[in-house]
Amino acid sequence: MRAEETPAAPAATTEPAPAGWRPALRAVGPGGDDATAPGAPPRAVRPQPVPPGAEVEHPSLYFNRELGLLDFNWRVLHQARDERTPLLERVRFLAITSGNLDEFFQKRVGGLKRQLIAGVQTLSLDGRTPGEQLALVAEAAAEMYAALATAWDHELRPRLRAEADVAVSDWAELDAEQRAGLTRYFRDNIYPVLTPLAVDPGHPFPFISNLSLSLAVLMRHAARNTMHFARIKVPTTQGRWVPVPNSPHKHHFIPVEQVVQANVSALFPGMEVVAASAFRVTRNADVDRDDDEAEDLLALISEELRERRFAPVVRLEVERGMPDEVRELLIRELELEASDVYEAADMLDHAECMLLAELDLPQFRYEPWEPVVPEPLQHEGETEDEANVFSILRRGDVLVHHPYESFNASVQRLVEEAADDPHVLAIKMTLYRTGVKSPVVQALLRAAERGKQVAVLVEVTARFDEANNIVGAQMMEDVGVHVTYGLVGLKTHSKVTLVVRLEEGRPRTYCHVGTGNYHAKTTRAYTDFGLLTANPEIGRDLVNFFHFLTGYAPDQQYDRLVVAPRDMRRVFEERIEREIAVQESGGTGRIIAKLNALDDFGMIRALYRASQAGVSIDLIVRGHSRLRPGLPGYSDNIRVVSILGRFLEHDRIYYFENGGDPELFLGSADWRGRNLNERVETMVPVLDPALRERMVEVLQLALRDNRLAWDLDADGQYVQRRPAADEDEINYQELLMRDAEARSRAAGGRPWELSV
């Protein structure tokens, strides 16, 4: 299906797709005129017209961040609607879209509402108040909410039944025998754990937890002819999907809330149930805190987690057909406005479709991928002197690219060998997101138990991972690991490891600097680069960096490492200014950056200046961008592309041509205000020419992609690339997998034995 074609309702659908299957598209050009972009997804951003002679600070030169986040989610939803994507992977993308929307309301809408309540009138970079942004967000989110339901109910659900023999039914579709079996299941498994909560003068309106699924039950007392209300929390601990008995389908499910709805009268004998409607609340996760005033950061975060449970509700999702009086009761008790209510055309919470995407049906999934062992690490044990990772790194730097190359066989191996090596004196790491069962954490525990000095900075303010990080940190403290919980006023987002080993009577350093987290699961799903090195300058810098993290050293000096917020902005702005100087002196200025998001005003302003000077700039930005590319006179020489595929593009790479002597950095920071101003970030230059050349080839391949890439225009519209009739398809991620396999075979690669 080509981008300009509108998909018809699938053949398996028993009723026509409703109006709005492909929502009307909005596009506002530089002059403010409405336009339609055929075949492109809807978009939320609405840039202002650029007045003649506008300075680079003018709001019309910037996209709105919140609306840009929604537009990223439109691109994710498109993957669920793309016929070229395997069916269960389409279901997975639908679930991811729904989960992203939940997080958007918790963080972004919650933050805007808090600003509105506080009377904040500060304008966004694109010149809008919090109230104006909320109005635009509400309209755009409602459109996305409807599109989610349509994609599930009118395409994916019928396709699952017709093609994969996976049926997801409503109660009304089941026969008498199936209903009887589910009623027995209700009696045996669900009824005992339900707790109906009445609401009357003696029973206040109950607390409803964030993102929980509930039923609002309206009933009549037959003898008194009085109306009553009760809330039931739908139990999902045994799963959202209940298997349907006596089914001809290989897999047949019904949502658990429908089983409860069909049998709800059993909970209220003597009452007439008028309606039992599903609803769901989303609470604000943007809780205000003051790190600077905290005496105990760990206690502060623990308190924040408790506060989140009772934070204000920012969204109410209701089932279609909910009685008006019930909806009004919920709006009143939850202190909401009518605009905060989202009516579901089908079921609530499509994020639960992720469980369906995990069904064991490999023919409807991506072809399995097993990361290969990086070529330099395949030759351990060749001689007595080359039996460990340290001897390999002494020969030269090793660049690893996950998930194409194995995290277990490279970074994890470094930490595990360091834990077991009797010559290793110390291991120091930053942990942003990880799990208590992580092999990396287990290796750190083992190292501490063996008497090595182990120091770990655990970032307990990592959003939505606070509880896991606190548990992991306390477990490490129990065995003697020196744990630091972050810096006051700054979130530590760096991804670095330092190993100190005694060799020939003196300490020697071995390091890892990466773009991603030390999390075994995400290393198989996120694309990230890492540099493993024994370079003594980088080693000294990391020694100083950890002294800065764990002690008092605000003026710490670094030779190779670039650290935010201290130096990073200056270093990047100097490199951009250098490209401008090269261009203006008759050379060729060139910048390529691959990052997750771009919203920092200072960096965008510098890029606009570079474009005006003639510097050629390519930005590979997976998520949102506030920069408007292709604006005449401002960003004519800037191109922005977003890549979305089976792996989440997560690496941060910055390339500067430097008049023919290129500089290339990798690390943890995006060009976002929070990364450059509010976080401790690290970038490191890639010094080895061969490794630098390999990374440049990766960047160039990303820019050539015509399968996963989306081009952003000056109006904010993303259009997915499609190969022309005479062109081969270039799938960036697929080609990197094939390249990794080819390099592994050429080096005599073998499967890596995973650590237990």
Side-chain angles (χ1 to χ4, degrees), residues 578-579 582 588 590 656-663:
R578 188 177 62 193
E579 296 303 313
V582 168
T588 301
R590 183 81 171 103
F656 302 94
E657 180 71 23
N658 190 28
D661 184 19
E663 272 194 301

mmCIF file of all heavy atoms in Angstrom, residues 578-579 582 588 590 656-663:
data_model
loop_
_atom_site.group_PDB
_atom_site.id
_atom_site.type_symbol
_atom_site.label_atom_id
_atom_site.label_comp_id
_atom_site.label_asym_id
_atom_site.label_seq_id
_atom_site.Cartn_x
_atom_site.Cartn_y
_atom_site.Cartn_z
ATOM 1 N N ARG A 578 32.295 26.391 14.634
ATOM 2 C CA ARG A 578 33.446 26.015 13.808
ATOM 3 C C ARG A 578 32.996 25.616 12.407
ATOM 4 O O ARG A 578 33.646 25.960 11.413
ATOM 5 C CB ARG A 578 34.208 24.875 14.471
ATOM 6 C CG ARG A 578 35.533 24.539 13.789
ATOM 7 C CD ARG A 578 36.250 23.444 14.541
ATOM 8 N NE ARG A 578 35.460 22.205 14.555
ATOM 9 C CZ ARG A 578 35.731 21.168 15.345
ATOM 10 N NH1 ARG A 578 36.742 21.224 16.205
ATOM 11 N NH2 ARG A 578 34.989 20.088 15.301
ATOM 12 N N GLU A 579 31.867 24.896 12.309
ATOM 13 C CA GLU A 579 31.353 24.526 10.985
ATOM 14 C C GLU A 579 30.919 25.770 10.208
ATOM 15 O O GLU A 579 31.094 25.839 8.980
ATOM 16 C CB GLU A 579 30.190 23.545 11.124
ATOM 17 C CG GLU A 579 30.562 22.205 11.742
ATOM 18 C CD GLU A 579 31.660 21.481 10.990
ATOM 19 O OE1 GLU A 579 31.590 21.387 9.750
ATOM 20 O OE2 GLU A 579 32.623 21.019 11.651
ATOM 21 N N VAL A 582 34.112 27.311 8.862
ATOM 22 C CA VAL A 582 34.608 26.552 7.711
ATOM 23 C C VAL A 582 33.821 26.909 6.462
ATOM 24 O O VAL A 582 34.389 27.142 5.384
ATOM 25 C CB VAL A 582 34.526 25.037 7.996
ATOM 26 C CG1 VAL A 582 34.763 24.234 6.715
ATOM 27 C CG2 VAL A 582 35.527 24.625 9.069
ATOM 28 N N THR A 588 33.454 23.332 3.338
ATOM 29 C CA THR A 588 32.138 22.682 3.403
ATOM 30 C C THR A 588 31.810 22.367 4.852
ATOM 31 O O THR A 588 32.421 21.476 5.458
ATOM 32 C CB THR A 588 32.118 21.378 2.575
ATOM 33 O OG1 THR A 588 32.430 21.695 1.213
ATOM 34 C CG2 THR A 588 30.756 20.719 2.637
ATOM 35 N N ARG A 590 29.504 20.759 7.669
ATOM 36 C CA ARG A 590 28.635 19.570 7.656
ATOM 37 C C ARG A 590 28.401 19.103 9.076
ATOM 38 O O ARG A 590 29.352 18.927 9.866
ATOM 39 C CB ARG A 590 29.294 18.447 6.853
ATOM 40 C CG ARG A 590 28.437 17.185 6.716
ATOM 41 C CD ARG A 590 27.426 17.349 5.611
ATOM 42 N NE ARG A 590 26.740 16.087 5.320
ATOM 43 C CZ ARG A 590 25.493 15.813 5.727
ATOM 44 N NH1 ARG A 590 24.808 16.691 6.432
ATOM 45 N NH2 ARG A 590 24.929 14.660 5.391
ATOM 46 N N PHE A 656 30.714 16.123 13.313
ATOM 47 C CA PHE A 656 31.094 17.444 12.811
ATOM 48 C C PHE A 656 32.233 17.253 11.811
ATOM 49 O O PHE A 656 33.268 16.649 12.144
ATOM 50 C CB PHE A 656 31.529 18.354 13.957
ATOM 51 C CG PHE A 656 30.471 18.528 15.013
ATOM 52 C CD1 PHE A 656 30.451 17.710 16.144
ATOM 53 C CD2 PHE A 656 29.484 19.487 14.872
ATOM 54 C CE1 PHE A 656 29.476 17.857 17.114
ATOM 55 C CE2 PHE A 656 28.501 19.646 15.844
ATOM 56 C CZ PHE A 656 28.493 18.827 16.963
ATOM 57 N N GLU A 657 32.057 17.755 10.595
ATOM 58 C CA GLU A 657 33.011 17.525 9.505
ATOM 59 C C GLU A 657 34.373 18.127 9.797
ATOM 60 O O GLU A 657 35.410 17.574 9.442
ATOM 61 C CB GLU A 657 32.444 18.105 8.209
ATOM 62 C CG GLU A 657 33.328 17.927 7.001
ATOM 63 C CD GLU A 657 33.386 16.482 6.525
ATOM 64 O OE1 GLU A 657 32.459 15.713 6.825
ATOM 65 O OE2 GLU A 657 34.380 16.141 5.870
ATOM 66 N N ASN A 658 34.424 19.304 10.415
ATOM 67 C CA ASN A 658 35.672 19.920 10.880
ATOM 68 C C ASN A 658 36.693 20.072 9.756
ATOM 69 O O ASN A 658 37.872 19.771 9.921
ATOM 70 C CB ASN A 658 36.255 19.103 12.039
ATOM 71 C CG ASN A 658 37.409 19.790 12.722
ATOM 72 O OD1 ASN A 658 37.502 21.026 12.735
ATOM 73 N ND2 ASN A 658 38.310 19.002 13.302
ATOM 74 N N GLY A 659 36.225 20.535 8.601
ATOM 75 C CA GLY A 659 37.145 20.818 7.512
ATOM 76 C C GLY A 659 37.940 19.623 7.033
ATOM 77 O O GLY A 659 39.082 19.770 6.598
ATOM 78 N N GLY A 660 37.357 18.438 7.114
ATOM 79 C CA GLY A 660 38.041 17.241 6.647
ATOM 80 C C GLY A 660 38.711 16.426 7.728
ATOM 81 O O GLY A 660 39.276 15.363 7.450
ATOM 82 N N ASP A 661 38.675 16.872 8.966
ATOM 83 C CA ASP A 661 39.224 16.130 10.107
ATOM 84 C C ASP A 661 38.081 15.879 11.089
ATOM 85 O O ASP A 661 37.985 16.525 12.130
ATOM 86 C CB ASP A 661 40.347 16.930 10.773
ATOM 87 C CG ASP A 661 41.018 16.159 11.908
ATOM 88 O OD1 ASP A 661 40.862 14.915 11.940
ATOM 89 O OD2 ASP A 661 41.668 16.798 12.756
ATOM 90 N N PRO A 662 37.181 14.941 10.766
ATOM 91 C CA PRO A 662 35.914 14.829 11.483
ATOM 92 C C PRO A 662 36.061 14.540 12.966
ATOM 93 O O PRO A 662 36.987 13.849 13.398
ATOM 94 C CB PRO A 662 35.203 13.667 10.772
ATOM 95 C CG PRO A 662 35.883 13.540 9.453
ATOM 96 C CD PRO A 662 37.299 13.947 9.687
ATOM 97 N N GLU A 663 35.131 15.095 13.730
ATOM 98 C CA GLU A 663 34.961 14.763 15.143
ATOM 99 C C GLU A 663 33.628 14.056 15.292
ATOM 100 O O GLU A 663 32.624 14.463 14.695
ATOM 101 C CB GLU A 663 34.963 16.019 16.007
ATOM 102 C CG GLU A 663 36.325 16.464 16.474
ATOM 103 C CD GLU A 663 36.209 17.488 17.586
ATOM 104 O OE1 GLU A 663 35.597 18.542 17.361
ATOM 105 O OE2 GLU A 663 36.736 17.230 18.673
#
